[in-house]
Amino acid sequence: MVKLTINGIELEAPQGELIVETVKRLGLEIPVFCYHPRMKAVGMCRMCLVETGFKQPDGSVRMMPKPQAGCTLPASEGLVVVTDSEAIHRDRKGVLEFLLINHPLDCPICDRGGECPLQNNTMAYGPSTTRFIEMKRHLPKAFPLSQYVTLDLERCIQCGRCVRFTEEISGDSDLAFRFRGAEMQPSTFQLTDFESRFSGNVIEICPVGALTSAKYRFRARPWDLETSPGVCTECSNGCNVWFDHRAGKQVRINGRANDGVNEEWTCDKGKFGHDWYNSTSRLTKPLVRRGDQFVPASWSEAYEEILAAFADKGGKVAGLTGPRVSNEGLFLFKRLFSEAFGSDNVDHRWRSGPVPTGPVPRPLPIASLESKRHILVFGTHLAEDLPIVHLRVRKAWSQSGATVDVAYSAANEVERFAKASLRCRPGAEAALAKCLLGEAVWSGKATVSDAVRAELAGFNADSAEEKSGVSGATVRAAAARLGEGAVVLTSDRLLDAPEPPSAWKSLKALAEATGSEFVCYPTGTNAAGAELLGLVPDHGLSTWQILEGCKDGKIEALWLVEADPSSTHDAALETVPFLVYQGTLENEAMAYASVVLPMAAPAEQDGTWTNCEGRVQRFRQAIAPPGEAKPAWRVFAECLLRARPSTPFFNPGEVMEEIARVHPVFAPAQYSLLPEEGALVARESLVGEPAGGGG
Amino acid sequence: MSFEVFRDVVKPIVAGFGITARRLAEQKVTVQYPDERREQFDRTRWRHVLTRYDSGLERCIGCSLCAGACPARCIYVEAAENTDDERYSPGERYAVRYEINMLRCIFCGYCQEACPTGAIVLRKDFELANYEREDFIYTKEMLLEPIRR
């Protein structure tokens, strides 16, 4: 810690902390454009100028003759900083006048207008009139950088935030500055498409309206929007977002800071993937089949039909859920089947391979990846499956000096910074995992039981080339890097590869034998929650067995929640005598349904979702569901009530209390206890318990 | 007729008629509405109009600043992008929907003040009565000035 003085206030700060940050802690503000707390400071915009000086041994202060940029100035002993003097105000005015010379001031039509740092800083610190009467710079307006990002070069103030984002955070280096001086412009090399998976973030960090969203273009102004804190439900990362809506319609998604999950970033899948909320094919009314046609029905008619087909049929009925159902919905779905229908045939897993049994290790918190020494990303296209985990892995590499190896069968983004890429032949994941384990065992690095050792005969670095297509030297080096402080990271995509149990077991054994940690993140939005809530059959049929059973006539009634297996199993859906489709959107599965139930989307209901690291996060209702659509949990609760009269659940908070009673791991997730940033629910305590919401 | 009756009843009546008779010669302050209409003050603020440029293009660019300034929150604007084939206003942006709820409007004129292009102005048409509440939602078509020829 060093002692320094800011505006006459003496305080202590860690040595080397940047002055903009120190000043922020004091509750004062230094206006900035190019500085971003999560990126390296470059001092490009000169907006943060402060007067500096040093305390002399005799106690007097010797001020520097010129101001310095606060964003590149580290705190040091005896530093004196003045952020609020006459000269600084003049400097800021000058900088803003300079930045505004070529700025078109088309704020009324600019999508950034109303939430624009340049606008705000000009209002607060800038000159009120312009002295510039010459011709302004004229450049193309509304140039499409990609299908998501629109570039308006006239508005650019050349702060370089977007360029630095692609270099430092997303790592694709898709953007760069072309030309120099007043002509300098951010753009892609060769004017190709801006194809980053994280391109949406540059829209948010641009301090002017130079980079705007093509999807949000002219759709609303900030003061038209209502903003609700939300959770992205497009994948299992559970990114915190701001859900912006206007007149009951979803308008845009912005990143919301949660250091444990997404810091403040979003991926394009999440940021631009919520259009379906406003789709015209949203289901709005319960439908029942009469002959060849669907007729609108009341909820009670639909329930009666469903209960007639499902109630007390035992193992002849089954339910399959998709990924986007809330914890409360999943829990009541399981309970409905076990209590009212007497069936254990419920599943949520859609990966093609059979799922390995046995205790599942507790997933590592995403943020803890940063502190690891080495990460082996195995069998998953990380940037595609778990984009935000990908950013953490990259951050571990770029900021904490971790080494990263990647083993996957196709080109992927991790290869760009990986020490070694073990690109195996498609389908050779299991062989590669065995070779890695074999190499660790034969080199004496790891010890395994004799049974495993016997299976590994012939699998080592030398045979890796032939068995998986990865060179022996690479395998040898990759195996050597595993050990204490290393992580073997995979996702459930591994289960899509041939021989999934073998690959999964070998990989887990590899991690355990070398003393590394093993983490397998699920990719379905609430797959972790479904796993914890026991939405897997204990004795009943699993997903593919259920669908086969439909075809064979063993299953007489099937309930699909937000799931559509029609592309692979349309025969099953066609054969099953009674099919309930419950979902938000019309789809192919609906064509075979006997009853169709409209479902509220995540933002249209109160509920919690569990992300891949086991973090339960609450998403409060932001907008009203379309038509008569109901949240999934309410539908199950109402069915349950009709089948077995009991005290009804009035709100999802009560359901969560019941969940916490049945599954004690969820105790910290009760609404009254759940913190804003979500609660990590431990998985270990679940192991050995009878899984399932039998109640 | 006693003196008191004359003083308290007859005299005031006669005096009153006298005032009326004197005023008959002066100019009347009432007008025969609706046959006659009084001229209004220059800054009278009544019904809104969305004006056009001389070229016939709309001035409104759908920036929604009027909606932001409106203390009664009675303006709803939805913008869209001009294309070369379909051009409503100069520049990139135009209002595809522009609605004012006249029942909520307090005719303060802030929208006019906030408008960066001078598109929305409050003119002197004050006869806004109607029978249905829905009819008080003035749409863009109703507000837009006809093209002058």
Side-chain angles (χ1 to χ4, degrees):
Chain A
M1 295 296 256
V2 291
K3 281 200 180 93
L4 67 161
T5 314
I6 295 175
N7 291 354
I9 305 164
E10 292 203 2
L11 74 158
E12 286 198 337
Q15 178 149 20
E17 188 187 43
L18 298 173
I19 291 301
V20 270
E21 291 294 323
T22 318
V23 169
K24 227 185 264 173
R25 277 198 287 118
L26 265 183
L28 302 173
E29 194 208 3
I30 296 184
V32 292
F33 290 118
C34 70
Y35 175 74
H36 191 281
R38 296 187 202 272
M39 293 191 283
K40 281 194 205 99
V42 286
M44 280 174 94
C45 70
R46 315 314 288 175
M47 191 62 207
C48 59
L49 290 178
V50 290
E51 283 189 280
T52 57
F54 278 97
K55 271 214 172 103
Q56 301 300 304
D58 61 1
S60 66
V61 175
R62 198 170 140 211
M63 296 304 284
M64 298 277 191
K66 298 266 176 72
Q68 289 196 40
C71 72
T72 50
L73 185 66
S76 53
E77 187 65 40
L79 185 70
V80 177
V81 177
V82 181
T83 68
D84 204 22
S85 68
E86 189 65 28
I88 288 301
H89 284 271
R90 218 171 41 236
D91 289 344
R92 287 177 185 162
K93 227 172 232 178
V95 170
L96 276 167
E97 187 173 22
F98 191 62
L99 290 176
L100 290 173
I101 278 182
N102 275 322
H103 193 79
L105 290 173
D106 54 354
C107 306
I109 65 154
C110 174
D111 275 333
R112 200 73 162 131
E115 50 179 17
C116 171
L118 181 62
Q119 211 176 28
N120 295 346
N121 283 343
T122 305
M123 290 296 281
Y125 307 102
S128 51
T129 53
T130 176
R131 294 184 289 172
F132 189 79
I133 50 167
E134 289 79 5
M135 185 78 157
K136 289 199 182 212
R137 174 183 66 176
H138 279 292
L139 288 163
K141 285 187 93 69
F143 176 78
L145 269 188
S146 72
Q147 55 165 327
Y148 298 131
V149 184
T150 308
L151 172 66
D152 188 314
L153 279 170
E154 287 187 356
R155 295 182 191 144
C156 178
I157 58 165
Q158 305 163 341
C159 70
R161 271 188 179 187
C162 50
V163 174
R164 280 148 57 215
F165 174 83
T166 63
E167 282 168 5
E168 291 175 25
I169 308 290
S170 71
D172 40 54
S173 300
D174 266 2
L175 294 181
F177 275 126
R178 302 163 82 216
F179 314 124
R180 291 295 175 261
E183 311 281 291
M184 189 156 88
Q185 39 182 270
S187 97
T188 49
F189 295 99
Q190 312 272 332
L191 298 177
T192 50
D193 248 20
F194 178 29
E195 276 170 346
S196 171
R197 287 179 195 277
F198 304 96
S199 65
N201 291 295
V202 302
I203 297 165
E204 275 175 70
I205 58 173
C206 180
V208 294
L211 294 162
T212 51
S213 163
K215 291 216 168 183
Y216 172 66
R217 189 168 165 79
F218 298 163
R219 277 191 64 191
R221 309 308 305 272
W223 54 85
D224 295 329
L225 296 173
E226 283 175 82
T227 294
S228 311
V231 178
C232 178
T233 49
E234 296 303 300
C235 82
S236 64
N237 275 302
C239 292
N240 288 213
V241 294
W242 290 110
F243 188 92
D244 288 1
H245 49 103
R246 183 187 190 192
K249 296 273 179 219
Q250 186 270 341
V251 176
R252 68 171 175 181
I253 299 290
N254 276 341
R256 183 161 65 95
N258 185 338
D259 281 332
V261 186
N262 56 326
E263 302 195 289
E264 63 183 70
W265 314 121
T266 50
C267 72
D268 286 0
K269 256 197 295 181
K271 193 175 169 74
F272 303 111
H274 287 71
D275 285 354
W276 58 271
Y277 271 87
N278 303 332
S279 165
T280 47
S281 49
R282 284 295 298 272
L283 295 169
T284 55
K285 254 183 159 327
L287 305 170
V288 293
R289 183 175 288 281
R290 293 280 174 270
D292 280 348
Q293 289 199 322
F294 281 124
V295 285
S298 67
W299 277 98
S300 55
E301 285 175 67
Y303 288 152
E304 266 162 34
E305 296 227 343
I306 291 171
L307 288 174
F310 277 86
D312 302 317
K313 289 275 169 61
K316 288 181 187 160
V317 298
L320 293 170
T321 75
R324 260 200 296 257
V325 187
S326 69
N327 290 328
E328 291 78 6
L330 292 171
F331 173 75
L332 288 180
F333 190 59
K334 172 93 182 173
R335 174 168 281 196
L336 177 67
F337 270 80
S338 59
E339 284 191 7
F341 304 158
S343 166
D344 189 33
N345 302 333
V346 283
D347 209 338
H348 72 100
R349 298 164 299 187
W350 292 93
R351 289 294 179 185
S352 50
V355 180
T357 48
V360 189
R362 181 187 175 195
L364 282 171
I366 298 172
S368 74
L369 290 173
E370 268 177 52
S371 57
K372 302 300 172 197
R373 181 181 60 75
H374 175 71
I375 301 169
L376 168 63
V377 179
F378 193 97
T380 173
H381 192 318
L382 199 57
E384 166 74 30
D385 295 344
L386 298 156
I388 296 298
V389 173
H390 170 78
L391 286 190
R392 282 293 176 150
V393 170
R394 192 177 182 283
K395 192 177 175 196
W397 166 78
S398 70
Q399 298 200 6
S400 334
T403 49
V404 178
D405 285 341
V406 56
Y408 185 60
S409 57
N412 66 89
E413 277 90 336
V414 184
E415 285 181 344
R416 291 183 183 156
F417 55 90
K419 187 144 192 155
S421 168
L422 291 72
R423 199 186 290 182
C424 60
R425 282 193 298 270
E429 280 86 358
L432 181 58
K434 271 188 169 176
C435 287
L436 278 165
L437 180 57
E439 176 56 29
V441 170
W442 307 132
S443 66
K445 193 174 161 62
T447 46
V448 288
S449 66
D450 289 342
V452 179
R453 187 181 278 267
E455 272 180 38
L456 289 175
F459 287 95
N460 56 29
D462 299 323
S463 65
E465 177 83 59
E466 168 212 337
K467 288 199 159 76
S468 65
V470 183
S471 80
T474 323
V475 169
R476 198 165 290 128
R481 277 192 281 272
L482 291 170
E484 194 65 36
V487 179
V488 178
L489 192 160
T490 186
S491 76
D492 59 12
R493 182 193 278 262
L494 186 65
L495 305 176
D496 271 349
E499 300 178 61
S502 161
W504 202 84
K505 268 185 210 151
S506 309
L507 200 62
K508 190 152 171 275
L510 173 69
E512 277 162 9
T514 55
S516 316
E517 285 174 275
F518 176 67
V519 54
C520 175
Y521 287 131
T523 51
T525 304
N526 204 12
E531 204 74 41
L532 286 168
L533 291 164
L535 224 83
V536 284
D538 297 327
H539 324 286
L541 307 174
S542 68
T543 306
W544 309 112
Q545 290 167 334
I546 288 171
L547 290 171
E548 286 303 314
C550 289
K551 227 186 284 178
D552 304 344
K554 274 187 220 140
I555 301 289
E556 288 173 9
L558 175 66
W559 191 325
L560 291 173
V561 187
E562 192 77 335
D564 181 8
S566 61
S567 56
T568 49
H569 286 77
D570 59 338
L573 300 188
E574 216 175 327
T575 324
V576 70
F578 193 86
L579 177 70
V580 180
Y581 172 70
Q582 181 182 13
T584 51
L585 293 169
E586 291 171 11
N587 65 8
E588 299 293 312
M590 215 178 111
Y592 307 107
S594 313
V595 175
V596 175
L597 302 176
M599 194 165 106
E604 293 160 358
Q605 58 180 302
D606 196 353
T608 59
W609 277 260
T610 312
N611 81 348
C612 60
E613 56 172 349
R615 183 186 294 264
V616 179
Q617 301 187 98
R618 185 161 173 207
F619 191 169
R620 288 181 175 81
Q621 183 172 8
I623 51 178
E628 293 171 31
K630 281 186 187 182
W633 73 268
R634 188 174 286 282
V635 173
F636 305 142
E638 285 170 359
C639 274
L640 204 53
L641 197 63
R642 277 164 185 268
R644 297 269 184 283
S646 58
T647 318
F649 294 107
F650 286 103
N651 57 52
E654 288 179 5
V655 183
M656 183 46 89
E657 277 168 32
E658 179 66 12
I659 294 177
R661 207 179 57 74
V662 178
H663 302 284
V665 281
F666 276 94
Q670 293 176 79
Y671 288 8
S672 52
L673 307 173
L674 193 63
E676 209 48 53
E677 70 274 12
L680 282 168
V681 292
R683 175 171 246 157
E684 280 148 339
S685 48
L686 193 74
V687 175
E689 266 179 46
Chain B
M1 190 160 61
S2 68
F3 171 71
E4 284 78 17
V5 172
F6 177 76
R7 188 192 64 192
D8 294 343
V9 179
V10 180
K11 192 185 164 197
I13 292 174
V14 174
F17 278 121
I19 292 170
T20 310
R22 272 207 310 283
R23 287 279 195 270
L24 281 174
E26 288 178 18
Q27 209 181 340
K28 280 178 286 192
V29 290
T30 51
V31 294
Q32 286 300 313
Y33 182 83
D35 301 331
E36 256 177 82
R37 269 145 221 243
R38 205 195 308 275
E39 187 167 340
Q40 299 201 31
F41 294 108
D42 287 344
R43 295 191 191 174
T44 307
R45 298 191 302 260
W46 280 113
R47 187 187 186 280
H48 310 68
V49 173
L50 282 170
T51 58
R52 292 177 188 271
Y53 290 106
D54 291 340
S55 63
L57 285 177
E58 295 162 16
R59 277 179 200 264
C60 180
I61 51 171
C63 72
S64 207
L65 279 170
C66 44
C70 181
R73 285 251 167 265
C74 69
I75 308 184
Y76 180 87
V77 186
E78 241 178 62
E81 191 161 3
N82 281 312
T83 58
D84 286 336
D85 303 332
E86 238 181 298
R87 177 160 291 282
Y88 297 89
S89 67
E92 296 167 80
R93 183 172 177 140
Y94 76 99
V96 68
R97 263 177 84 182
Y98 193 106
E99 285 169 10
I100 301 182
N101 184 347
M102 285 294 178
L103 287 174
R104 285 203 174 182
C105 179
I106 56 169
F107 301 95
C108 65
Y110 282 9
C111 47
Q112 180 172 352
E113 215 169 293
C115 186
T117 59
I120 185 94
V121 289
L122 280 77
R123 294 256 168 93
K124 294 174 185 171
D125 176 12
F126 58 90
E127 294 151 310
L128 306 174
N130 219 327
Y131 295 97
E132 298 292 330
R133 296 184 75 86
E134 287 73 26
D135 294 340
F136 285 95
I137 311 277
Y138 279 36
T139 61
K140 185 185 168 192
E141 290 67 39
M142 296 159 79
L143 292 165
L144 202 59
E145 202 174 41
I147 300 177
R148 275 172 304 207
R149 302 204 183 270

